[in-house]
Structure formats: C-alpha cells, structure tokens
Amino acid sequence: MRLTIVRVMIGGLVSVLIILQLVHLSMISWLENKATSISNGRRSAGSGSLPGKHNHSSRDRTRSQHLEAKLDTTGSYKIYHSYMKSAALVKSKSQELPNSDVTLITQCSVNNLYHLVDLVVRWKGPLSVAVFSFGPDTSTFNNVLFTLRECFPAVKENVTFHLVQPITEITETLSSAKALSFTKLSCDTILNDIKDQSLESPQQKNYAYQVPYPSNVLRNVARSGALSRFIFVVDIDMVPSVNLRTEFLHLSRSSIILQEETEYSKRTAFVVPAFEMRDGQHVPLNKERLLYDMSHYGHIRPFYIEDCSYCQNHTDYHRWENTKGTAGAVNIAYTVEWKPLWEPFFIGHRDVPLYDERFKQYGYNRISQVCEMNVAGYNFAVLDNAFLIHKGFKEKSSYHAHKLNENRKNKELFLHFQEELKVKYPDSSKRCQT
C-alpha cells in the first residue's frame, strides 16, 4: 500500500515538473517575441553594414525571426533548427528528399566559428553547423554570423546554421544583428580580428562554460539539417583532405554496392584516418605530403596519440600509411573489426544511430555512438587516400580544469548505456563491453 502511494506521489511530481517546464518555455517564448518587437523598432532607425557589402535582405531576416524553439531530449536546452539556411538550400527544389551528396556536420561554441572559413574552402559542398550560445555570446553570435556570411560567399552559399541555448536564455534574433565594428578593412583582416577576440575570450575552450556543453545535442541538431544521403561528422577545428567530398561521391556512384540503398551501403562506416598538426603549419594537400611531413619534420602525428591513443589507434595507422591508393581518388583500403573505446571519424549513411544526448562535456560522447553501431551490426571500412587534420597538437596541458571529473562521470553513464543496448538490440550477438 505504501509503495503504491509513493509511486502515485512520484508520478504526480513528475507531471508537475513537466507542466512547469512547459510553462517556463512558454514564458521564455513570450519574452523573446517581446524582445524581437523592440529590436525591430530599433532596427528601423538604421543599421550598420560592411564596407562594399549589402545588408541582409528582408527575406533573410524574416526567415530567422519566426522560428520556434524546441526542447532537446533532456529538457535542458532549446533548439532553433535552421536558424539561418544556406543560400543553396533556399534555392533547392528537393529539400524534402535525401540527395546523393555528403553533408559535413559540425558543432561549436561562438568563439570557434572562425574555423568555418577553412572548412568551406576544403569541403566545397553542404555544411550543417550547430552553434552553442550562452550568456555574453548570445549577441555576439548574430554579429559574427552576419559578418561571416557577408565576407565569405562560400559560407553564405553552403552553410546552414542552427542555434542551441540553455533553456534560460532569451534569444536575440538576427533582426538585431549588425556588422562587427570594423571599418575599411579587408575580410581577411576581419577574420583575424574575430579569431584574436575569440582566443582572448574566457570561454576559449568549448567545455569551459558555466553550463554543461551539450556536444551530442549539437551533433544531433546539425545532423537534422542534412538533406543528403551521406553525412560526415567532424570537429570544427579539423580540416579534411582536398577533394574528399567529390572523390567519395565518385566512389559511391561508381561502386555497384554503393549506388543503391543496400544493407551494405546503409550499414558501413567509411573511416577517415585522423591526424593532428602542430600549430602554425600548413595543412597538407594530399596523403603523400602528409606522410612526408610526418616522417621528416614531425609536424603531424596520429590524432590523440598523447592523451588517448586507444581512441584512434584501431584505425591501424601503420597499415594505412603503407597502403598505395590511386592518385585523385578514394577507395576502400581494408576493413577493421570494432574494438572497445574506439571513436573513429567516418562518412556514413544519414540513418546511422543518433548520439546519446545524456553525454555532456568531455568523455564517451562519440565512443558511445560507435559502440552502438557495433552492436547494431555496422561494418567499418577504412578509406585509402582520405584523411582529417586537427589544427594543433592535442596535449594534456591544454584541457580545461574539470576534464578528469567529467570523464569519470560519463564513464559511469557509459556503463549504464552498455546495459541499455542489450535491451535495445536483444537479437544481436555483439556487445561493446570495455
């Protein structure tokens, strides 16, 4: 009897919490609408613009003003999907159907947005970016977004932005955005200034915020903006090998087993070996140059080799380095079996398992997804001439102060996650015990 009463009380409390959360979100939405109305009134008095550039059209502003926030699965963050669509997406006539392209997926905080310029130059195709904005960054985000789109045509043409904020934030929409306070400067100078300001920010590191950084929420949000058959999830400060997108598209269209929506094409992760490069060096254009720089100068090394070698080593760098591919093309070099704690970067079908949004801050956020893919029966095929370069060496001294504590907390969550997979995939013979 007592147990029944307790269960009823708990159920009632849960219902009350859900109602309060909905009321809270409604109040935030009302306040945001009020703030937007005020900012629109201010906007009519005049606005700044970059020298020689045009202001956003009213069509662009309207598109961002009337978006509604949605909650993430944990109820802690509000999400503005397609906060600003790419020009290519706006012009597309097949926005509801997956196309045959590959969308590059990434996420960051406002202070790391300057990395986008390098990505669009290398990728030359659709990108979907989820940005986390908190506190002082809220107003900065719109201004940086405005500036990047106006200064760099490839950003405006190819990048769709999504906005994620803590549920307590009041959003300042793009209608109140203005160019950053630069006059008569080149766009390269403006980019360097944005970068310098970002490096001076107290939130230089993504995980140094006062609220948990929701990396997996951001990844899932960015994935939702992809309308392509394949996706490629990377970190914002990484750069892919030249022509990787077009070379993979050629592979997918010329290979019989990849042309159609087969079980193999849907359940194969095409692994792209990841490396890290010393600050200030030039990103190599191809595999030949990468191997030369790595062996002769020591400027390049396998990703995470100092802090988490087991996270990437299973890609088998030695075998990849000795695999001879065809110049100007990518092909499958070899396949590997999954091993515990492996977290490769890969091009995969749009239906690969989503990231578990309970993992926040540092640790196990990508490991958990690859773990689930193994249990679900995915294959892992390493591409021969493809690679990713992380700008800067990953060193233990560069991490924020609470990284170890966050890793321990997420390890406990990961143990529960492993048990949940047994229930989710009862017929699978594969497990991902560490």
Side-chain angles (χ1 to χ4, degrees):
M1 181 66 179
R2 291 179 179 177
L3 184 59
T4 301
I5 293 173
V6 170
R7 287 176 174 172
V8 171
M9 292 176 65
I10 292 174
L13 286 172
V14 170
S15 299
V16 170
L17 287 172
I18 292 173
I19 293 171
L20 287 174
Q21 192 175 65
L22 291 173
V23 171
H24 187 195
L25 187 60
S26 298
M27 289 296 295
I28 289 174
S29 179
W30 180 85
L31 287 170
E32 288 176 348
N33 290 335
K34 190 72 173 176
T36 299
S37 298
I38 294 172
S39 65
N40 284 344
R42 292 171 179 168
R43 179 73 175 180
S44 63
S47 61
S49 62
L50 288 173
K53 301 292 182 181
H54 298 293
N55 291 334
H56 281 285
S57 67
S58 59
R59 183 181 177 187
D60 278 345
R61 292 198 300 269
T62 302
R63 187 174 295 110
S64 64
Q65 285 176 15
H66 296 97
L67 294 177
E68 294 183 359
K70 295 182 179 179
L71 289 177
D72 73 305
T73 55
T74 68
S76 304
Y77 304 93
K78 55 181 182 175
I79 301 164
Y80 294 89
H81 290 281
S82 297
Y83 184 78
M84 179 56 67
K85 293 180 179 179
S86 69
L89 187 59
V90 172
K91 292 181 288 189
S92 174
K93 296 180 180 180
S94 57
Q95 294 187 22
E96 301 303 323
L97 298 175
N99 56 54
S100 60
D101 214 323
V102 187
T103 301
L104 191 143
I105 306 294
T106 192
Q107 44 79 32
C108 66
S109 49
V110 175
N111 56 285
N112 276 316
L113 274 170
Y114 66 89
H115 287 294
L116 265 182
V117 177
D118 288 339
L119 271 178
V120 296
V121 169
R122 277 292 178 102
W123 190 244
K124 293 182 173 65
L127 289 89
S128 182
V129 182
V131 182
F132 183 62
S133 174
F134 170 69
D137 286 343
T138 303
S139 58
T140 303
F141 168 62
N142 282 327
N143 296 333
V144 172
L145 173 58
F146 177 97
T147 303
L148 288 176
R149 282 172 55 89
E150 290 299 298
C151 251
F152 303 97
V155 173
K156 187 171 186 177
E157 180 67 19
N158 292 319
V159 183
T160 292
F161 293 92
H162 316 272
L163 178 62
V164 176
Q165 296 180 307
I167 195 171
T168 53
E169 287 291 312
I170 296 179
T171 305
E172 179 185 3
T173 63
L174 194 62
S175 61
S176 58
K178 59 180 182 296
L180 297 178
S181 55
F182 304 102
T183 57
K184 299 181 180 178
L185 298 177
S186 70
C187 284
D188 286 339
T189 302
I190 291 173
L191 180 64
N192 288 331
D193 203 288
I194 292 174
K195 179 179 179 181
D196 291 341
Q197 290 182 19
S198 297
L199 294 176
E200 295 170 1
S201 167
Q203 284 90 27
Q204 179 193 350
K205 300 180 180 67
N206 275 350
Y207 303 103
Y209 280 93
Q210 299 172 4
V211 296
Y213 183 80
S215 53
N216 278 358
V217 172
L218 291 163
R219 290 185 177 107
N220 286 342
V221 170
R223 280 184 56 174
S224 73
L227 297 178
S228 57
R229 182 184 174 200
F230 294 102
I231 58 174
F232 184 26
V233 182
V234 304
D235 293 340
I236 189 73
D237 50 2
M238 303 183 95
V239 181
S241 49
V242 171
N243 298 325
L244 173 54
R245 170 177 160 266
T246 54
E247 290 170 358
F248 181 81
L249 287 177
H250 178 75
L251 172 65
S252 68
R253 292 164 183 170
S254 60
S255 171
I256 296 175
I257 59 176
L258 295 181
Q259 287 175 356
E260 304 296 333
E261 292 286 84
T262 62
E263 189 69 13
Y264 180 84
S265 66
K266 285 187 173 183
R267 290 188 175 269
T268 298
F270 300 92
V271 176
V272 178
F275 297 83
E276 55 189 39
M277 179 185 68
R278 194 186 306 276
D279 280 328
Q281 303 302 314
H282 293 292
V283 180
L285 297 177
N286 51 45
K287 180 178 180 178
E288 181 182 9
R289 185 67 200 188
L290 180 149
L291 295 178
Y292 184 87
D293 288 350
M294 186 162 57
S295 61
H296 285 70
Y297 302 116
H299 294 329
I300 297 174
R301 64 189 187 183
F303 189 54
Y304 263 145
I305 192 171
E306 179 179 306
D307 188 45
C308 187
S309 59
Y310 53 81
C311 293
Q312 298 292 329
N313 270 353
H314 187 49
T315 300
D316 197 343
Y317 287 99
H318 180 73
R319 185 175 180 182
W320 183 83
E321 291 166 16
N322 289 282
T323 298
K324 303 297 182 183
T326 303
V330 295
N331 289 287
I332 295 173
Y334 53 89
T335 60
V336 293
E337 295 292 325
W338 174 89
K339 281 189 178 179
L341 304 180
W342 189 38
E343 53 173 17
F345 294 90
F346 60 89
I347 297 173
H349 193 274
R350 59 183 287 111
D351 292 335
V352 296
L354 291 171
Y355 296 88
D356 191 303
E357 297 183 359
R358 294 172 296 179
F359 290 92
K360 299 180 177 70
Q361 291 291 101
Y362 188 88
Y364 295 90
N365 43 66
R366 289 194 303 110
I367 287 175
S368 54
Q369 186 217 25
V370 179
C371 165
E372 179 172 355
M373 291 171 66
N374 170 62
V375 176
Y378 277 74
N379 308 297
F380 297 92
V382 182
L383 297 176
D384 55 4
N385 286 334
F387 60 84
L388 267 176
I389 295 289
H390 177 272
K391 292 181 284 186
F393 281 170
K394 282 280 192 179
E395 297 174 336
K396 294 181 179 180
S397 60
S398 66
Y399 292 113
H400 60 289
H402 303 293
K403 180 212 173 215
L404 290 178
N405 289 334
E406 294 162 6
N407 203 53
R408 293 190 194 100
K409 181 178 179 181
N410 279 343
K411 184 176 181 179
E412 291 297 318
L413 175 57
F414 182 64
L415 295 176
H416 291 292
F417 176 81
Q418 289 175 317
E419 295 301 312
E420 292 170 355
L421 291 181
K422 296 177 182 178
V423 179
K424 187 173 182 179
Y425 300 95
D427 298 328
S428 176
S429 60
K430 297 184 177 183
R431 295 289 180 261
C432 63
Q433 268 64 25
T434 55

